[in-house]
Amino acid sequence: MKTAAPSSPPSELTSPPSPSHKRKRPLTDRPPDVNTPTKRLKRALGTLGSKLKADTRPAKTKQPKLTQLHFSLDTPVLRTCPLCDLSYTRGAPDDEALHKAHCARVQRGLEWGKEEERETSRAGVEELEGNVKLKNGARGRIICFRPDVGGKIGAKLNILLETIRLALSSPPLSPAVLQRCKIYLFLLSSPGVATTREKIVGCVVAQRISKAMAIARASELSPDLSSSPSSSQTQTNSAASSQLTHAAPSSSPLTNSSRSTTDLLPVDSSTNLYVHPTPLPTPLGIPRLFVSSAHRRLGIASRLLSAAAATFILGCPLDPARGEVAFTQPTGMGKAVLESWGRGGVRIYEEEQDL
């Protein structure tokens, strides 16, 4: 049997592929996905997956450092400062910050700078006395203005009144009282510094009133009144207020010859301060008097009180010795000023009263 001959003769230019050498496809002919190394692709995908898992995982909050707390029964929490007499809670940041600022004001006073001085003409501030010399040789001046001022002076006055309230442990002055008041300030000049850098070291609040009670002299006090203290200060003030409101007016204070000493009203039993219950016509009242502790006993309070008595009513200077000036519930230091400046004629009144 014969084999069929091929349709075309074999080309001499071609040779059959060698079985030992396989033909490789050029790198440029491969698809792009084949060119990328498989191991690197898996590694990149693994890194991306871990990042996505980390982003979706909730963030861990840092635990605060805990402090072991315990009670200390030996150390009192409430402390009273011996310099400013303010009670505050030891360890409370707000209380300690309040005490630090208040204590500095009580000792050294408040700053009166250029910003307050620029507003004096617009706020109606009047300079009553300039170049006032004190006992230690320091010099200052006395100014006066209404309490309804605004701006920097009004803000400074609010801080001053709050400092006085804390220092005297007194209630705040009501708006009705402030409407009938004038503010007198003593500005102390710093040595070697211009007058634009001054300090408020003294303040007197003067109020328009209508009646007050005369203070009983020591000779009018019976031995039992001068030796035995009153049961409580609250009962003292309420009794004085009740008598001041309901008692009939009189033209002159009563003496021990016309009234028994048992009818006297106690104002401050610790200083033996008693008053006659009959209210008398009085034009000027001093509800607040304050001098910084570092500037006391220099005559600042007397100079402020004298300026208030001379200028509170225009064209009508008042004389404390004649009973034309009254104080409201003076403290121990206030009573000393009352006796030395008033020369025995200053009276006691209730600051919340109708004219």
Side-chain angles (χ1 to χ4, degrees):
M1 185 175 179
K2 294 181 180 180
T3 306
S7 60
S8 61
S11 175
E12 296 178 356
L13 298 177
T14 60
S15 59
S18 176
S20 60
H21 297 283
K22 295 182 179 180
R23 185 179 180 183
K24 294 183 179 180
R25 192 174 185 178
L27 183 62
T28 56
D29 295 341
R30 295 183 184 182
D33 54 347
V34 178
N35 296 337
T36 305
T38 306
K39 292 184 179 181
R40 294 183 181 178
L41 178 61
K42 290 183 179 180
R43 189 180 304 168
L45 292 176
T47 305
L48 180 60
S50 61
K51 287 183 179 180
L52 292 175
K53 290 181 180 180
D55 294 339
T56 57
R57 195 178 304 159
K60 294 183 179 180
T61 58
K62 186 178 181 180
Q63 294 293 336
K65 185 178 180 180
L66 303 179
T67 304
Q68 180 67 36
L69 302 178
H70 61 279
F71 289 102
S72 179
L73 301 179
D74 297 335
T75 305
V77 178
L78 191 64
R79 183 177 183 271
T80 301
C81 178
L83 300 177
C84 64
D85 201 29
L86 179 68
S87 298
Y88 64 96
T89 303
R90 180 182 297 176
D94 293 342
D95 275 17
E96 290 189 350
L98 173 64
H99 164 254
K100 184 178 180 180
H102 172 74
C103 192
R105 296 175 192 141
V106 169
Q107 294 183 72
R108 298 184 293 273
L110 280 75
E111 294 289 338
W112 181 275
K114 297 180 180 179
E115 296 180 350
E116 290 82 7
E117 193 63 26
R118 291 194 194 101
E119 298 181 358
T120 53
S121 58
R122 184 178 59 187
V125 177
E126 181 183 0
E127 182 176 335
L128 302 179
E129 297 183 40
N131 198 23
V132 180
K133 187 177 180 180
L134 301 178
K135 295 179 180 179
N136 63 348
R139 296 182 182 274
R141 59 192 179 110
I142 298 176
I143 63 173
C144 172
F145 55 88
R146 302 284 302 178
D148 56 353
V149 295
K152 296 292 183 179
I153 297 179
K156 186 74 66 170
L157 177 61
N158 292 334
I159 298 175
L160 177 61
L161 292 178
E162 180 64 15
T163 301
I164 296 174
R165 185 188 69 82
L166 293 175
L168 302 180
S169 300
S170 60
L173 294 172
S174 65
V177 172
L178 287 174
Q179 288 179 359
R180 304 193 299 266
C181 289
K182 285 184 180 180
I183 308 297
Y184 294 83
L185 300 181
F186 191 95
L187 304 181
L188 183 67
S189 302
S190 301
V193 182
T195 56
T196 54
R197 302 298 300 176
E198 298 171 308
K199 282 190 176 182
I200 306 173
V201 297
C203 175
V204 162
V205 181
Q207 176 189 359
R208 182 75 170 91
I209 63 174
S210 59
K211 51 192 174 182
M213 296 176 290
I215 298 177
R217 294 182 174 86
S219 60
E220 298 174 324
L221 300 179
S222 60
D224 57 339
L225 286 178
S226 59
S227 60
S228 61
S230 176
S231 58
S232 68
Q233 189 66 27
T234 303
Q235 296 176 356
T236 295
N237 297 337
S238 61
S241 302
S242 176
Q243 290 289 344
L244 181 60
T245 305
H246 298 94
S250 175
S251 59
S252 61
L254 298 177
T255 60
N256 59 347
S257 60
S258 59
R259 181 177 292 274
S260 173
T261 56
T262 57
D263 295 333
L264 298 177
L265 298 177
V267 176
D268 189 358
S269 59
S270 61
T271 57
N272 289 331
L273 183 60
Y274 292 82
V275 296
H276 294 279
T278 305
L280 305 172
T282 309
L284 176 59
I286 307 295
R288 300 292 183 269
L289 169 62
F290 172 77
V291 177
S292 58
S293 59
H295 304 90
R296 291 173 184 169
R297 297 181 178 86
L298 299 177
I300 295 177
S302 299
R303 300 301 292 263
L304 285 172
L305 290 171
S306 298
T311 62
F312 185 78
I313 301 178
L314 184 63
C316 182
L318 303 175
D319 186 3
R322 299 173 55 185
E324 296 175 342
V325 182
F327 282 65
T328 170
Q329 301 177 6
T331 60
M333 291 183 293
K335 184 187 177 185
V337 176
L338 178 149
E339 293 175 347
S340 61
W341 176 77
R343 303 188 302 276
V346 176
R347 299 169 180 173
I348 301 297
Y349 81 103
E350 180 190 7
E351 63 186 43
E352 296 288 346
Q353 60 176 254
D354 299 327
L355 294 178

